[in-house]
């Protein structure tokens, strides 16, 4: 029998999702600063995608495993909470260490550990919303996560610029060439990671499991082999909606990874005529990336709140398609802009896209997966994010010089085209029960 879960008020839904602020602040720091850090440590433009391998690989492996394990966990803290507390602690340590990397291989290695920790935290958090909220509140829960994504990444992108405003200098660097403004931003992120996750765990305990659920979990084998079999079975029995979402997710996440990897290099080329990290123009491009990234995430914060009633009226599919088209059009136009202030215009569209990407696909998904498998299916769904990223990392270096002319602006144009194609595919998604 499918019992309705207790309805939560606005502030309760807000409290349970505060932890997403810390998770996404960490991701915002990566998106805005990892390519510049790699460049400061000597990376070549064409090799940047390979240095971002950590996120897709760790996500592909870690999230389904952690999802299946959390489905079978019965602890004093709950099913999901132990995972996102442990992940937050490891994430904080890596954020503290990242800007002190003495060499390129150290920074790349730390990113692997950091992304593994973020993935340990992320998947159970998605399942936590599905567990805790009634289906009628799924859109509100996931769009609240989207709002926190926008807010936290706004601050993450803007932190280096804010630190410069209060007196720090981008030309003042540590022994490894990394500006102290970037170092300080990562320290702030480490604090946010632990504090925000701790707040949500403290204010929003998980719903107690029924005796029938505990008996079902005790009857399940807990070995690694059994966990892998559970993932394989879930893939074979995947709901039709998930299969339709997979193709759309391929295009939209390929596009976003192109943007994150190459936006700073593209702006340096467009605005200052060079991608050399030693030039003053590159440092300015890093700050501009932070400002426009902060702007599009601020747009995402307010848009996610506004989308809650719109998603109920229009349906998440149509709303998502509109947002993707606006973001795609913005990225196609971005390389044509040579005034930093006009860059805010395409960021309006990208902000709407980002708000929708972090909420509406999960709202489409949550109602079609069985509750007892929420963890493993949320983990598998993350594969639809990381597989496109992995594909992008493996293919873009092959395309960069041969097809895209070695021009970072063309990578941004490719991202815009990917979002437009994803919009057309979103309209084909039909919401089916499991």
């Amino acid at each position: 029998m499918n019992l309705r879960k207790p309805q939560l008020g606005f502030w309760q839904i807000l409290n349970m999702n505060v932890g997403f602020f810390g998770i996404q602040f960490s991701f915002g720091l990566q998106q805005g600063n990892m390519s510049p850090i790699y460049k400061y440590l000597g990376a070549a433009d064409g090799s940047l995608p390979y240095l971002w391998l950590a996120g897709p690989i760790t996500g592909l492996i870690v999230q389904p495993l952690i999802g299946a394990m959390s489905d079978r966990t019965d602890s004093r803290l709950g099913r999901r909470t132990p995972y996102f507390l442990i992940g937050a602690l490891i994430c904080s340590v890596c954020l503290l260490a990242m800007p002190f990397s003495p060499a390129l291989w150290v920074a790349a290695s730390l990113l692997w550990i950091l992304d593994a920790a973020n993935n340990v935290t992320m998947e159970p958090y998605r399942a936590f919303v599905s567990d805790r909220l009634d289906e009628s509140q799924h859109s509100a829960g996931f769009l609240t996560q989207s709002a926190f994504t926008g807010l936290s990444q706004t601050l993450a992108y803007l932190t280096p610029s804010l630190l410069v405003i209060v007196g720090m200098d981008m030309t003042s660097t540590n022994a490894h060439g990394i500006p102290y403004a970037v170092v300080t931003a990562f320290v702030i992120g480490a604090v946010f990671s632990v504090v925000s996750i701790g707040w949500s765990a403290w204010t929003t305990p998980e719903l107690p499991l029924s005796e029938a659920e505990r008996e079902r979990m005790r009857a399940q084998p807990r070995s690694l082999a059994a966990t892998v079999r559970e993932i394989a079975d879930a893939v074979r029995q995947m709901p039709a909606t998930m299969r339709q979402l997979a193709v759309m997710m391929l295009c939209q996440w390929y596009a976003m990874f192109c943007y994150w990897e190459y936006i700073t290099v593209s702006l340096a080329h467009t605005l200052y005529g060079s991608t050399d990290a030693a030039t003053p123009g590159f440092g300015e491009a890093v700050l501009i990336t932070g400002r426009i990234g902060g702007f599009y995430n601020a747009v995402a914060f307010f848009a996610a709140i506004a989308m809650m009633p719109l998603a109920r009226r229009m349906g998440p599919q149509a709303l998502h398609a509109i947002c993707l088209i606006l973001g795609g059009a913005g990225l196609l136009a971005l390389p044509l802009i040579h005034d930093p202030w006009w860059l805010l215009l395409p960021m309006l569209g990208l902000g709407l896209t980002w708000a929708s990407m972090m909420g509406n696909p999960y709202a489409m998904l949550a109602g079609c997966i069985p509750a007892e498998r929420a963890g493993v299916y949320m983990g598998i769904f993350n594969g639809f994010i990381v597989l496109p990223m992995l594909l992008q990392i493996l293919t873009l270096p092959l395309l960069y010089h041969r097809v895209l002319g070695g021009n970072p602006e063309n990578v941004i144009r490719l991202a815009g085209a990917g979002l437009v194609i994803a919009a057309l595919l979103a309209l084909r998604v039909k919401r089916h029960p499991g």
Side-chain angles (χ1 to χ4, degrees):
M1 188 168 71
N2 188 20
L3 298 175
R4 288 180 65 87
K5 297 168 185 173
Q7 295 279 308
L8 298 188
F10 173 77
W11 290 108
Q12 292 172 301
I13 293 176
L14 206 67
N15 273 331
M16 74 181 291
N17 285 302
V18 165
F20 226 68
F21 178 92
I23 297 170
Q24 293 299 329
F25 196 95
S26 171
F27 279 118
L29 287 174
Q30 291 180 50
Q31 292 160 15
N33 295 284
M34 283 314 302
S35 282
I37 285 174
Y38 286 149
K39 288 282 289 178
Y40 288 129
L41 294 172
D45 293 354
S47 69
L48 289 176
Y50 293 132
L51 294 168
W52 283 72
L53 268 170
I57 295 294
T58 56
L60 188 62
I61 296 170
V62 171
Q63 287 218 22
L65 286 173
I66 293 296
M69 289 167 63
S70 69
D71 282 342
R72 304 174 187 200
T73 297
D74 181 13
S75 75
R76 184 174 59 85
L77 292 174
R79 301 167 78 183
R80 320 295 183 185
T81 305
Y83 296 96
F84 52 73
L85 286 175
I86 292 169
L89 287 170
I90 299 171
C91 178
S92 292
V93 172
C94 291
L95 287 172
L96 287 172
M98 180 66 75
F100 297 100
S101 300
L104 193 58
W105 71 267
V106 176
S109 299
L110 281 171
L111 186 62
W112 280 83
I113 302 170
L114 175 60
D115 273 326
N118 274 328
N119 282 306
V120 167
T121 306
M122 175 77 74
E123 188 287 324
Y125 219 118
R126 293 287 193 191
F128 176 50
V129 171
S130 183
D131 291 345
R132 195 68 174 78
L133 296 178
D134 186 73
E135 185 176 343
S136 63
Q137 292 191 303
H138 281 167
S139 285
F142 289 116
L143 285 170
T144 302
Q145 287 191 347
S146 179
F148 272 118
T149 298
L151 177 62
S152 63
Q153 293 197 8
T154 297
L155 294 175
Y157 272 103
L158 288 179
T159 296
S161 289
L162 295 174
L163 292 170
V164 169
I165 289 171
V166 299
M168 298 191 80
D169 187 347
M170 282 297 285
T171 62
S172 178
T173 67
N174 63 17
H176 314 299
I178 298 172
Y180 282 113
V182 174
V183 174
T184 306
F186 274 75
V187 172
I188 292 169
V191 175
F192 282 159
S193 179
V194 170
V195 171
S196 64
I197 289 286
W199 176 265
S200 286
W202 180 56
T203 59
T204 314
E206 297 187 48
L207 292 174
L209 295 171
S210 67
E211 193 53 42
E213 288 173 313
R214 286 197 167 96
E215 285 297 325
R216 179 185 59 79
M217 289 165 62
R218 290 188 197 111
Q220 292 177 322
R222 295 172 181 268
S223 67
L224 178 60
T227 302
V228 172
R229 282 197 300 272
E230 165 64 13
I231 295 169
D233 287 343
V235 170
R236 282 194 293 269
Q237 299 165 22
M238 189 184 301
T241 298
M242 280 189 73
R243 298 181 187 277
Q244 294 165 348
L245 284 168
V247 186
M248 178 200 77
M249 298 277 279
L250 170 65
C251 295
Q252 69 181 29
W253 285 102
Y254 191 106
M256 288 306 298
F257 226 47
C258 285
Y259 173 84
W260 291 327
E261 286 175 355
Y262 278 90
I263 183 59
T264 299
V265 185
S266 176
L267 291 177
H269 189 265
T270 303
L271 302 177
Y272 302 104
S274 174
T275 63
D276 185 350
T279 61
F282 189 86
E284 284 301 312
V286 172
L287 293 177
I288 292 170
T289 297
R291 290 166 195 156
I292 66 172
F295 180 76
Y296 88 69
N297 277 286
V299 171
F301 169 66
F302 292 106
I305 297 170
M307 282 180 193
M308 292 180 192
L310 285 174
R312 287 194 295 270
R313 284 201 293 268
M314 298 175 59
Q317 295 94 322
L319 181 58
H320 191 49
I322 292 170
C323 292
L324 287 170
I325 287 174
L326 293 173
L331 292 188
L332 287 168
L334 191 145
L336 302 174
I337 298 172
H338 295 271
D339 183 331
W341 286 106
W342 281 104
L343 292 170
L344 299 181
L345 186 60
M347 291 300 105
L348 282 171
L350 191 63
L352 294 173
T353 293
W354 188 231
S356 187
M357 283 176 64
M358 297 304 291
N360 284 316
Y362 295 94
M364 294 182 223
L365 172 72
C368 78
I369 56 177
E372 68 276 8
R373 279 181 152 180
V376 68
Y377 273 123
M378 286 293 178
I380 292 169
F381 194 63
N382 184 69
F384 302 159
I385 298 174
V386 298
L387 282 172
M389 291 180 178
L390 182 59
L391 180 65
Q392 188 268 359
I393 285 168
L394 295 176
T395 58
L396 195 65
L398 303 177
L399 301 174
Y400 187 69
H401 290 288
R402 298 172 187 172
V403 177
L404 302 175
N407 186 345
E409 296 173 12
N410 288 335
V411 181
I412 303 302
R413 294 186 178 98
L414 177 63
L419 291 180
V420 172
I421 294 169
L424 301 176
L425 293 169
L427 295 173
R428 298 178 62 250
V429 175
K430 306 296 182 186
R431 294 180 74 184
H432 300 287

